[in-house]
Amino acid sequence: MTTQWIRERKRESEESQTHSDFRSCDDFLGLASQLNARAPQLLDEVAAAIGPVDDSAGVEALRTLAAQRGPGFDADMVLTMACAILLSQRPDLSTWRMVRQVAYHSRSLGESLGAAMSAHRRVSATAGQAYVTLAVLLFKALESGVLEAASELRNQDRKNAREHWRANRSLEEIWWGLRGSDFMNFEEEMRVFGVLSEIDLAVFQRLLGDSQDPLLVDAALLSAGVGAFTPRFAVWERCANEAPDAFAEDGSWNGSVLMPLLLLRCLLYTSRCV
């Protein structure tokens, strides 16, 4: 018998009904199958056309291209899948910034990019490793501050939250839920971290276990289904089993942030389900 959080099955059912317009991995797998039979070059053509986008007009031009080259197909889904393919071909910061800008000006693409990546890695022999490479690169770039958000407001929020943590670094701050922080400050990259947790949970665990940035680690945990919106006990359990020691025999904290965050997410989710 599979162990799950209380009401986990019910919650998954409720979410699938609530987000009926959300494109799933299966939706993109279906699209890939249809395109392979009827328009095998379409995705590569659209992917090749993706470049720097400054506004919604640039996204609309890409959507128009997808519609013209592939009449009868959902242009938004084609563009989203093309972005996923481009990231698998060029898993670097420059390409990520381009795709992120497209997603920034297209809500449907932003919401479905992770599902498209999950689908593409199932039909491509090389996409999975490329996404692992990309996720590790993004995590380290965020951790070091090299990768900024597309929004200046979000950049300021990140800066303020990190300054607060550095000035108040303690277990109490973690137990209080990292006051002043917002996991949505890493919204764009969370999609990729979620895909990483699906492809190679061991790499995901090591990445988080080695980090001392609780804001980023917490966002990555949420992307993988540890608490909050898509709770999956199996992921929480595996992360907890592999997390580095955070406490000495006398109960003192050694500074490692992963285990305290896992305990926090466990407490928050179970307290909301009883």
Side-chain angles (χ1 to χ4, degrees):
M1 181 178 178
T2 301
T3 303
Q4 292 183 302
W5 295 117
I6 300 172
R7 297 169 57 196
E8 184 173 342
R9 288 194 182 94
K10 180 179 179 181
R11 191 176 185 90
E12 290 172 351
S13 175
E14 289 172 348
E15 287 179 351
S16 66
Q17 295 172 14
T18 302
H19 302 286
S20 58
D21 294 332
F22 178 77
R23 300 299 184 180
S24 68
C25 175
D26 286 342
D27 291 330
F28 283 104
L29 285 173
L31 173 68
S33 177
Q34 294 176 36
L35 289 173
N36 188 51
R38 295 167 49 193
Q41 304 303 317
L42 177 60
L43 290 174
D44 285 335
E45 290 178 6
V46 177
I50 296 172
V53 171
D54 296 324
D55 51 32
S56 57
V59 176
E60 188 57 37
L62 290 170
R63 188 181 289 112
T64 299
L65 173 66
Q68 291 175 342
R69 298 291 179 86
F73 293 104
D74 186 312
D76 284 320
M77 288 186 68
V78 170
L79 179 55
T80 305
M81 195 68 171
C83 285
I85 288 174
L86 183 61
L87 289 172
S88 72
Q89 295 171 341
R90 291 156 40 189
D92 53 53
L93 289 181
S94 177
T95 304
W96 170 249
R97 288 187 177 102
M98 286 195 303
V99 170
R100 186 182 65 180
Q101 280 300 106
V102 176
Y104 184 78
H105 295 290
S106 172
R107 179 180 177 182
S108 62
L109 192 153
E111 291 178 344
S112 301
L113 180 60
M117 293 172 68
S118 292
H120 183 54
R121 66 103 172 174
R122 285 171 168 79
V123 298
S124 167
T126 59
Q129 186 54 52
Y131 292 153
V132 170
T133 299
L134 177 65
V136 172
L137 181 66
L138 294 181
F139 190 94
K140 292 183 176 180
L142 287 170
E143 193 173 38
S144 66
V146 170
L147 181 60
E148 294 187 335
S151 163
E152 283 305 315
L153 178 60
R154 186 157 286 177
N155 283 324
Q156 188 60 50
D157 286 345
R158 286 183 187 176
K159 179 182 177 182
N160 292 342
R162 279 173 166 156
E163 288 179 350
H164 178 82
W165 168 251
R166 293 188 187 105
N168 301 276
R169 183 184 177 90
S170 67
L171 268 179
E172 182 181 5
E173 282 297 313
I174 295 179
W175 299 148
W176 279 102
L178 299 171
R179 289 174 289 194
S181 68
D182 184 351
F183 69 87
M184 292 298 285
N185 285 332
F186 302 101
E187 178 185 12
E188 295 94 346
E189 289 75 22
M190 284 175 68
R191 304 176 185 113
V192 184
F193 299 151
V195 174
L196 170 62
S197 71
E198 296 174 4
I199 299 172
D200 197 330
L201 190 57
V203 171
F204 179 83
Q205 291 166 337
R206 287 196 298 272
L207 200 61
L208 272 58
D210 291 342
S211 178
Q212 294 301 309
D213 185 342
L215 310 173
L216 182 56
V217 170
D218 192 46
L221 286 173
L222 292 173
S223 76
V226 177
F229 309 110
T230 55
R232 288 181 286 172
F233 178 82
V235 178
W236 181 92
E237 182 180 38
R238 288 190 61 183
C239 287
N241 286 339
E242 299 298 327
D245 292 337
F247 305 99
E249 290 186 3
D250 63 0
S252 60
W253 180 47
N254 64 15
S256 179
V257 301
L258 179 54
M259 181 56 79
L261 286 169
L262 286 166
L263 294 174
L264 173 68
R265 286 299 159 192
C266 176
L267 176 63
L268 289 176
Y269 185 67
T270 53
S271 66
R272 291 168 183 166
C273 292
V274 296

